[in-house]
Structures are given as structure tokens and as C-alpha cells.
Amino acid sequence: MNMHDEHGHPMRKHAVVSAFAIAFALLAVAACSPERDHTPIAAPSSARTPASAAIPDAADERTCTNEPRTDENDKRPRCEGMGATPPAARAYRVVGGSGDPVDQVVCDIDETFVLDGKLFGTELSGGVDGTYRFVRTPNIPGLSWNAGGRYHIEFPDGPDKSGTLTTEGGGTTTAGTTSRETAGGERFTLTLVEACAP
């Protein structure tokens, strides 16, 4: 078979062979050249951030407060001393009250405790600020009492010195169909004593 160029002139056989030889050589060079690694370049290890380090563990986040306890169900941790050894129980002798005086030792004022007078039992929610309420009243037919409010404890010279507990609130005394409002302001003195068991 004779091959011709674009002008109809016969092409020389060696020119055709040369064209095929060049094309074949280019294919051979491409086939023999080392393959490129198409793996993406990884970031340096120092720049990598583990997923666990990027997202904080919610269980490690602890919410604390220094607000007064709202009631006996308020179990929120207090910020002071978080992560430290819990302080020892604070025991105090509580003396005072006007209408129904008390003189007793409270083994831990940070926990719920009851001041036991001769007539009334008054439960305090615990801590230096909290709530109180009557939990025991005299059993006198025709008479009933209901009282509650808030209290506050202060140690002006430090917790190892004497302090004061004051109450504010009020209640109602009922006799038959007649009721009378009463004020709940009382004052007690607290003196540190040796630790004891409740």
C-alpha cells in the first residue's frame, strides 16, 4: 500500500516508519516513568487535634454555686473547695431563743438539723443561709401552730469563734376559729465544740 501526502505526492516509507517510531518511543517512556503518588499530603502530626481533645467531655464540667441553699432538696455543689478535701463537719453548741429557748449541740451545721425546744421542733435546711420550718408543735386540743421563714448564720471573727444565728419569717397560731399572726425573729449564739456524731 502506498501512502501519499496532502499534495498527492507519494510519501517515503522511512518517514512513515519514523513517525511511528517516535510515537512508540513516547509511549514507552511514559510507561516506564515512575508512577506519581497521588496520596494527599498529611498535615504534620503536631497540627493534628484528636477529636476527643477538641470536644470537652460534658461529664467533666461541674456546675457549682455559692448562692444560699433554696431548700432541703438543693444539692448543688458549692464552688469553694471544689476538688479539695471536704472540710470536717462543724459542730456547735446552739443557745438562745426567746419563747422556747434551746441549749443543744448541733454536730454539723452544714447539714439539715433540728433545734429542739421544750414546745417546738424547728428544722433548719443546713448551711450558713437557708430556710426553717416547724416540724413539732405542742399537742394541745383546739390549738395549732404553723411557721417558717429564712435564717442566716454569721461568724464575724471566723468559724472557730462564736457566731450568731438569726431567723426571720413568721407563722400563724390558731385557736378554734381565731388565728393570730406571729413574728419569727429569733437569735441564737453558736460556739464551736469538738466534733461529734449526729
Side-chain angles (χ1 to χ4, degrees):
M1 174 179 166
N2 293 326
M3 298 186 71
H4 299 79
D5 64 11
E6 63 219 24
H7 302 293
H9 300 292
M11 293 180 67
R12 294 181 180 172
K13 189 180 282 188
H14 67 83
V16 174
V17 172
S18 296
F20 281 118
I22 292 171
F24 181 79
L26 288 174
L27 288 174
V29 168
C32 294
S33 59
E35 290 186 3
R36 290 185 179 179
D37 183 6
H38 297 289
T39 305
I41 298 174
S45 59
S46 60
R48 294 182 184 177
T49 302
S52 59
I55 302 173
D57 186 358
D60 291 336
E61 294 181 5
R62 300 178 65 187
T63 303
C64 65
T65 182
N66 283 324
E67 296 176 4
R69 296 190 188 279
T70 53
D71 56 41
E72 62 272 10
N73 297 318
D74 184 356
K75 304 298 184 187
R76 295 175 296 173
R78 287 336 192 227
C79 295
E80 54 182 359
M82 286 284 286
T85 304
R90 296 189 292 168
Y92 291 89
R93 177 174 296 282
V94 181
V95 178
S98 56
D100 188 27
V102 299
D103 182 351
Q104 71 181 77
V105 171
V106 175
C107 290
D108 189 352
I109 64 168
D110 289 325
E111 299 295 330
T112 301
F113 61 93
V114 175
L115 295 180
D116 280 314
K118 291 183 178 180
L119 300 174
F120 299 93
T122 306
E123 181 183 77
L124 289 82
S125 59
V128 293
D129 283 290
T131 59
Y132 75 89
R133 64 188 179 96
F134 280 173
V135 291
R136 177 176 54 82
T137 59
N139 185 14
I140 301 174
L143 288 178
S144 64
W145 292 266
N146 185 15
R150 297 198 64 81
Y151 75 89
H152 179 68
I153 298 175
E154 286 186 355
F155 295 100
D157 299 319
D160 58 335
K161 304 295 183 184
S162 294
T164 57
L165 184 158
T166 55
T167 65
E168 55 185 47
T172 305
T173 301
T174 304
T177 58
T178 304
S179 295
R180 183 172 61 90
E181 298 297 318
T182 58
E186 297 284 350
R187 184 181 179 88
F188 304 85
T189 299
L190 280 67
T191 307
L192 187 67
V193 296
E194 290 185 11
C196 61

